[in-house]
């Protein structure tokens, strides 16, 4: 009576494919990155009317953004979020009290997730298995920049972190009612964050 082979050709092929799939999961697969924080920043003091993501479904904090001249931008603080995917659209509007003008910028970035994946691939393997990711919308003059910050805080090793630029959109000057920011401009002058001779909105200086 002929002996039945332990593995048929089909079962061997299946096992080879299964093994290849497991190796891919272990060494190559990268889950879709999610952010759990957002922190706005600006090169010089400005008043942010809004920074919206994905048509306003979520946003960064608004109000006064103090000068943050660091490159890459400082990533401390900001707002904590429930886990979110990288946005594909960012809209921002802000008032620059020194230049005395409003800016608006719209960033369309359907490839932002792919850019984030590429950044993560270049980083050292995190000790905890994954990086905590934060999005940093940064206003540089009339430009809107989107930075990705990641850190791996742990008790047994030094802090491992990175901050990388993902996308940039060029803003345009637009009309607006600057009088709503008179009190904020006075505050920045009093705090010596902007020149003392900065004209107040609506003044004829």
């Amino acid at each position: 009576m002929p002996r039945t082979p332990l593995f048929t050709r089909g079962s061997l092929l299946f096992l080879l494919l299964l093994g290849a799939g497991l190796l891919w999961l272990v060494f190559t697969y990268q889950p879709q990155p999610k952010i759990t924080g957002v922190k706005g920043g600006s090169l010089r003091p400005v008043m942010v009317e809004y920074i919206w993501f994905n048509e306003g479904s979520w946003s960064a904090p608004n109000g006064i953004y103090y000068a943050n001249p660091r490159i890459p931008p400082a990533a401390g603080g900001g707002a904590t979020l429930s886990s979110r995917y990288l946005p594909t659209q960012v809209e921002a509007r802000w008032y620059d009290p020194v230049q005395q003008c409003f800016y608006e910028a719209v960033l369309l970035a359907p490839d932002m997730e792919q850019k984030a994946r590429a950044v993560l691939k270049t980083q050292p393997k995190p000790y905890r298995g994954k990086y905590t990711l934060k999005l940093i919308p940064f206003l540089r003059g009339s430009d809107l920049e989107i930075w990705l910050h990641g850190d791996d805080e742990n008790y047994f090793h030094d802090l491992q972190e990175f901050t990388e630029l993902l996308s940039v959109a060029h803003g345009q000057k637009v009309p607006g009612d600057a009088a709503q920011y008179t009190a904020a401009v006075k505050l920045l002058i009093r705090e010596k964050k902007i020149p003392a001779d900065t004209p107040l909105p609506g003044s004829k200086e």
Side-chain angles (χ1 to χ4, degrees), residues 45-174:
V46 298
M47 291 76 169
V48 173
E49 196 164 309
Y50 59 78
I51 299 178
W52 292 335
F53 303 99
N54 291 348
E55 299 183 341
S57 61
W58 55 287
S59 63
N62 58 4
I64 296 176
Y65 279 24
Y66 288 89
N68 176 7
R70 282 183 48 184
I71 299 177
T80 302
L81 304 169
S82 57
S83 294
R84 298 177 185 271
Y85 294 116
L86 274 294
T88 56
Q89 179 180 336
V90 188
E91 301 169 77
R93 177 180 169 92
W94 66 99
Y95 176 69
D96 186 323
V98 175
Q99 300 299 317
Q100 301 177 65
C101 63
F102 282 86
Y103 292 103
E104 281 186 4
V106 177
L107 173 64
L108 300 176
D111 60 345
M112 197 175 294
E113 180 195 329
Q114 286 73 25
K115 290 181 177 179
R117 285 179 184 271
V119 167
L120 289 167
K121 279 185 178 180
T122 66
Q123 305 306 318
K125 186 176 180 180
Y127 296 110
R128 292 187 304 171
K130 66 176 182 178
Y131 285 98
T132 299
L133 300 178
K134 178 184 293 183
L135 206 63
I136 305 177
F138 190 82
L139 306 173
R140 188 180 305 279
S142 62
D143 287 349
L144 167 64
E145 302 174 345
I146 301 297
W147 294 73
L148 181 68
H149 175 79
D151 67 61
D152 175 35
E153 291 189 52
N154 55 83
Y155 297 104
F156 306 104
H157 302 276
D158 294 332
L159 174 65
Q160 203 164 276
E161 63 180 334
F162 65 86
T163 306
E164 296 288 344
L165 181 64
L166 295 183
S167 294
V168 181
H170 303 295
Q172 303 292 329
K173 290 183 179 180
V174 294

Side-chain angles (χ1 to χ4, degrees), residues 5-57:
L6 186 60
F7 296 106
T8 64
R9 184 176 299 177
S11 63
L12 283 172
L13 180 59
F14 171 77
L15 289 172
L16 286 172
L17 291 174
L18 180 61
L22 290 173
L23 288 172
W24 178 80
L25 282 172
V26 172
F27 297 106
T28 307
Y29 173 71
Q30 188 179 32
Q32 191 170 357
K34 290 184 178 181
I35 61 169
T36 56
V38 60
K39 185 213 174 164
S42 178
L43 183 65
R44 53 185 184 236
V46 298
M47 291 76 169
V48 173
E49 196 164 309
Y50 59 78
I51 299 178
W52 292 335
F53 303 99
N54 291 348
E55 299 183 341
S57 61

